[in-house]
Coordinates of all heavy atoms in Angstrom, one line a residue:
A935 N 0.9 -1.2 0.0 CA 0.0 0.0 0.0 C 0.9 1.2 0.0 O 1.9 1.3 0.8 CB -0.9 0.0 1.2
S936 N 0.6 2.2 -0.8 CA 1.4 3.4 -1.0 C 0.9 4.5 -0.2 O 1.6 5.6 0.0 CB 1.6 3.8 -2.4 OG 0.3 4.1 -3.0
N937 N -0.3 4.4 0.4 CA -0.9 5.5 1.2 C -1.9 5.0 2.2 O -2.2 3.8 2.2 CB -1.5 6.6 0.3 CG -2.5 6.0 -0.7 OD1 -3.5 5.3 -0.2 ND2 -2.4 6.3 -2.0
L938 N -2.4 5.8 3.0 CA -3.3 5.4 4.1 C -4.6 4.8 3.5 O -5.1 3.7 4.0 CB -3.7 6.6 5.0 CG -4.6 6.3 6.1 CD1 -3.9 5.4 7.1 CD2 -5.1 7.6 6.8
Q939 N -5.2 5.4 2.5 CA -6.4 4.8 1.9 C -6.3 3.4 1.4 O -7.1 2.6 1.6 CB -7.0 5.8 0.8 CG -7.5 7.1 1.4 CD -8.1 8.0 0.3 OE1 -7.5 8.1 -0.8 NE2 -9.2 8.6 0.6
E940 N -5.1 3.2 0.7 CA -4.9 1.9 0.2 C -4.7 0.9 1.3 O -5.1 -0.3 1.2 CB -3.6 1.9 -0.7 CG -3.8 2.6 -2.0 CD -2.6 2.6 -2.9 OE1 -1.6 1.9 -2.5 OE2 -2.6 3.2 -4.0
F941 N -4.0 1.3 2.4 CA -3.8 0.4 3.5 C -5.2 0.1 4.2 O -5.4 -1.1 4.5 CB -2.9 1.0 4.6 CG -2.9 0.3 5.9 CD1 -2.4 -1.0 6.0 CD2 -3.4 0.9 7.0 CE1 -2.4 -1.7 7.2 CE2 -3.4 0.2 8.2 CZ -3.0 -1.1 8.3
I942 N -6.0 1.0 4.4 CA -7.3 0.8 5.0 C -8.1 -0.2 4.2 O -8.8 -1.1 4.7 CB -8.1 2.1 5.2 CG1 -7.4 3.0 6.3 CG2 -9.6 1.9 5.6 CD1 -8.0 4.3 6.4
A943 N -8.1 -0.1 2.8 CA -8.8 -1.0 1.9 C -8.2 -2.4 2.1 O -9.0 -3.4 2.2 CB -8.6 -0.5 0.5
L944 N -6.9 -2.5 2.2 CA -6.3 -3.9 2.4 C -6.8 -4.5 3.8 O -7.1 -5.7 3.8 CB -4.8 -3.7 2.4 CG -4.0 -3.7 1.1 CD1 -2.6 -3.5 1.4 CD2 -4.3 -4.9 0.3
A945 N -6.7 -3.7 4.8 CA -7.1 -4.2 6.2 C -8.5 -4.5 6.2 O -8.9 -5.5 6.9 CB -6.7 -3.1 7.2
R946 N -9.4 -3.8 5.6 CA -10.8 -4.1 5.6 C -11.1 -5.4 4.8 O -11.9 -6.2 5.2 CB -11.6 -3.0 4.9 CG -11.8 -1.8 5.8 CD -12.5 -0.6 5.0 NE -12.7 0.5 5.9 CZ -13.1 1.7 5.4 NH1 -13.3 1.9 4.1 NH2 -13.3 2.7 6.2
K947 N -10.3 -5.6 3.8 CA -10.5 -6.8 2.9 C -10.0 -8.1 3.7 O -10.6 -9.2 3.5 CB -9.7 -6.6 1.6 CG -9.9 -7.8 0.6 CD -9.2 -7.5 -0.7 CE -9.3 -8.6 -1.7 NZ -8.6 -8.4 -2.9
S948 N -9.0 -7.9 4.5 CA -8.4 -9.1 5.2 C -8.3 -8.8 6.7 O -7.2 -8.5 7.2 CB -7.0 -9.5 4.6 OG -7.1 -9.7 3.2
P949 N -9.4 -8.9 7.4 CA -9.3 -8.6 8.9 C -8.3 -9.4 9.6 O -8.3 -10.6 9.5 CB -10.8 -8.9 9.3 CG -11.6 -8.7 8.1 CD -10.7 -9.3 7.0
G950 N -7.5 -8.8 10.4 CA -6.5 -9.5 11.2 C -5.3 -10.0 10.5 O -4.4 -10.6 11.2
K951 N -5.2 -9.8 9.2 CA -4.0 -10.3 8.5 C -2.8 -9.4 8.8 O -1.7 -9.9 8.8 CB -4.3 -10.2 7.0 CG -3.1 -10.7 6.1 CD -3.5 -10.6 4.6 CE -2.3 -11.0 3.8 NZ -2.6 -11.0 2.3
Y952 N -3.0 -8.1 9.0 CA -1.9 -7.2 9.2 C -1.7 -6.9 10.7 O -2.7 -6.8 11.4 CB -2.0 -6.0 8.3 CG -2.2 -6.3 6.9 CD1 -3.4 -6.3 6.2 CD2 -1.0 -6.6 6.1 CE1 -3.5 -6.6 4.9 CE2 -1.1 -6.9 4.8 CZ -2.4 -6.9 4.1 OH -2.5 -7.2 2.8
S953 N -0.5 -6.7 11.1 CA -0.2 -6.4 12.5 C 0.4 -5.1 12.7 O 1.0 -4.5 11.8 CB 0.7 -7.5 13.1 OG 1.9 -7.5 12.4
Y954 N 0.2 -4.6 13.9 CA 0.8 -3.3 14.3 C 1.5 -3.5 15.6 O 1.1 -4.2 16.5 CB -0.2 -2.2 14.4 CG -1.1 -2.1 15.6 CD1 -0.8 -1.4 16.7 CD2 -2.3 -2.8 15.6 CE1 -1.6 -1.4 17.9 CE2 -3.1 -2.8 16.7 CZ -2.8 -2.1 17.8 OH -3.6 -2.1 19.0
G955 N 2.6 -2.7 15.8 CA 3.3 -2.8 17.1 C 3.0 -1.6 17.9 O 2.4 -0.6 17.5
S956 N 3.4 -1.7 19.2 CA 3.1 -0.6 20.1 C 4.2 -0.6 21.2 O 4.9 -1.6 21.3 CB 1.8 -0.6 20.8 OG 1.7 -1.6 21.8
G957 N 4.3 0.4 22.0 CA 5.2 0.5 23.1 C 4.7 -0.2 24.4 O 5.2 0.0 25.5
G958 N 3.6 -1.0 24.2 CA 3.0 -1.7 25.3 C 1.5 -1.4 25.5 O 1.0 -0.4 24.9
V959 N 0.8 -2.2 26.2 CA -0.6 -2.0 26.4 C -0.9 -0.6 27.1 O -0.3 -0.4 28.2 CB -1.2 -3.1 27.3 CG1 -2.7 -2.8 27.6 CG2 -1.1 -4.4 26.5
G960 N -1.7 0.2 26.6 CA -2.1 1.5 27.2 C -1.1 2.6 26.8 O -1.3 3.7 27.2
S961 N -0.1 2.3 26.0 CA 0.9 3.3 25.6 C 0.2 4.2 24.5 O -0.8 3.9 24.0 CB 2.1 2.7 25.0 OG 1.8 2.0 23.8
A962 N 0.9 5.4 24.3 CA 0.4 6.3 23.3 C 0.3 5.6 21.9 O -0.7 5.8 21.2 CB 1.3 7.5 23.2
S963 N 1.3 4.8 21.6 CA 1.3 4.2 20.2 C 0.1 3.2 20.2 O -0.5 3.0 19.1 CB 2.6 3.5 20.0 OG 3.0 2.6 21.0
H964 N -0.2 2.5 21.3 CA -1.3 1.6 21.3 C -2.6 2.3 21.1 O -3.4 1.9 20.2 CB -1.3 0.8 22.6 CG -2.3 -0.3 22.7 ND1 -2.7 -0.8 23.9 CD2 -3.1 -0.9 21.8 CE1 -3.7 -1.7 23.7 NE2 -3.9 -1.8 22.4
L965 N -2.9 3.3 21.9 CA -4.2 4.0 21.9 C -4.3 4.8 20.6 O -5.4 4.8 20.0 CB -4.3 4.9 23.1 CG -4.5 4.2 24.4 CD1 -4.4 5.2 25.6 CD2 -5.9 3.6 24.5
G966 N -3.2 5.4 20.1 CA -3.3 6.1 18.9 C -3.7 5.2 17.7 O -4.5 5.6 16.8
T967 N -3.1 4.0 17.7 CA -3.5 3.1 16.6 C -4.9 2.6 16.7 O -5.6 2.4 15.7 CB -2.5 1.9 16.6 OG1 -1.2 2.3 16.6 CG2 -2.7 1.0 15.3
E968 N -5.3 2.3 17.9 CA -6.7 1.8 18.1 C -7.7 2.9 17.7 O -8.8 2.6 17.1 CB -6.9 1.4 19.6 CG -6.3 0.0 19.9 CD -6.9 -1.1 19.1 OE1 -8.1 -1.2 19.0 OE2 -6.1 -1.9 18.5
M969 N -7.4 4.1 18.0 CA -8.3 5.2 17.6 C -8.4 5.3 16.1 O -9.5 5.4 15.5 CB -7.8 6.6 18.1 CG -8.6 7.8 17.6 SD -7.9 9.4 18.1 CE -8.7 9.6 19.7
M970 N -7.2 5.1 15.4 CA -7.2 5.1 13.9 C -8.0 3.9 13.4 O -8.8 4.0 12.4 CB -5.7 5.0 13.4 CG -5.6 4.8 11.9 SD -3.9 4.7 11.4 CE -3.4 3.1 12.0
R971 N -7.8 2.7 14.0 CA -8.5 1.5 13.6 C -10.0 1.6 13.7 O -10.7 1.3 12.8 CB -8.0 0.3 14.4 CG -8.5 -1.0 13.9 CD -8.1 -2.1 14.9 NE -8.7 -2.0 16.2 CZ -10.0 -2.3 16.5 NH1 -10.8 -2.7 15.5 NH2 -10.5 -2.1 17.7
L972 N -10.4 2.2 14.8 CA -11.9 2.3 15.0 C -12.5 3.4 14.1 O -13.6 3.2 13.5 CB -12.1 2.8 16.5 CG -11.8 1.7 17.6 CD1 -11.9 2.4 19.0 CD2 -12.9 0.6 17.5
A973 N -11.7 4.4 13.8 CA -12.2 5.5 12.9 C -12.3 4.9 11.5 O -13.2 5.3 10.7 CB -11.3 6.7 12.9
G974 N -11.3 4.0 11.1 CA -11.3 3.5 9.8 C -12.1 2.3 9.6 O -12.4 1.8 8.4
G975 N -12.6 1.7 10.6 CA -13.4 0.5 10.5 C -12.7 -0.8 10.0 O -13.2 -1.5 9.1
F976 N -11.5 -1.0 10.6 CA -10.8 -2.2 10.1 C -10.1 -2.9 11.4 O -10.1 -2.4 12.5 CB -9.7 -1.9 9.1 CG -8.7 -0.8 9.5 CD1 -7.5 -1.1 10.2 CD2 -9.0 0.5 9.2 CE1 -6.6 -0.2 10.6 CE2 -8.1 1.5 9.6 CZ -6.9 1.2 10.3
T977 N -9.6 -4.1 11.2 CA -9.1 -4.9 12.3 C -7.6 -5.2 12.0 O -7.2 -5.5 10.9 CB -9.8 -6.2 12.4 OG1 -11.2 -6.0 12.6 CG2 -9.3 -7.1 13.6
L978 N -6.8 -5.0 13.1 CA -5.4 -5.3 13.0 C -5.0 -6.2 14.2 O -5.7 -6.2 15.2 CB -4.5 -4.1 13.0 CG -4.7 -3.0 11.9 CD1 -3.9 -1.8 12.3 CD2 -4.2 -3.6 10.6
L979 N -3.9 -6.9 14.1 CA -3.4 -7.7 15.2 C -2.4 -6.9 15.9 O -1.4 -6.3 15.4 CB -2.7 -9.0 14.6 CG -2.0 -9.9 15.6 CD1 -3.0 -10.5 16.6 CD2 -1.1 -11.0 14.9
H980 N -2.6 -6.8 17.3 CA -1.7 -6.0 18.1 C -0.5 -6.8 18.6 O -0.7 -7.9 19.2 CB -2.5 -5.4 19.3 CG -1.7 -4.6 20.3 ND1 -1.9 -4.6 21.6 CD2 -0.6 -3.8 20.1 CE1 -1.1 -3.8 22.2 NE2 -0.2 -3.3 21.3

């Protein structure tokens, strides 16, 4: 995916296929990604 919209389309097409990292449960990187995921309506593996 070359941009955010393409990535969201990929993630929606294959729920849970793609993973994201974070600095730990409850960290800024964790919450920021979850906010993005909820706003975009897709699923990722944490």
Side-chain angles (χ1 to χ4, degrees):
S936 59
N937 55 51
L938 181 67
Q939 288 183 320
E940 290 181 4
F941 168 65
I942 290 175
L944 280 177
R946 285 174 177 170
K947 184 178 180 181
S948 303
K951 177 180 179 180
Y952 302 102
S953 59
Y954 77 92
S956 78
V959 174
S961 65
S963 52
H964 183 198
L965 288 170
T967 310
E968 284 299 311
M969 176 185 272
M970 175 183 70
R971 187 186 66 74
L972 291 168
F976 54 90
T977 302
L978 298 174
L979 176 65
H980 179 211

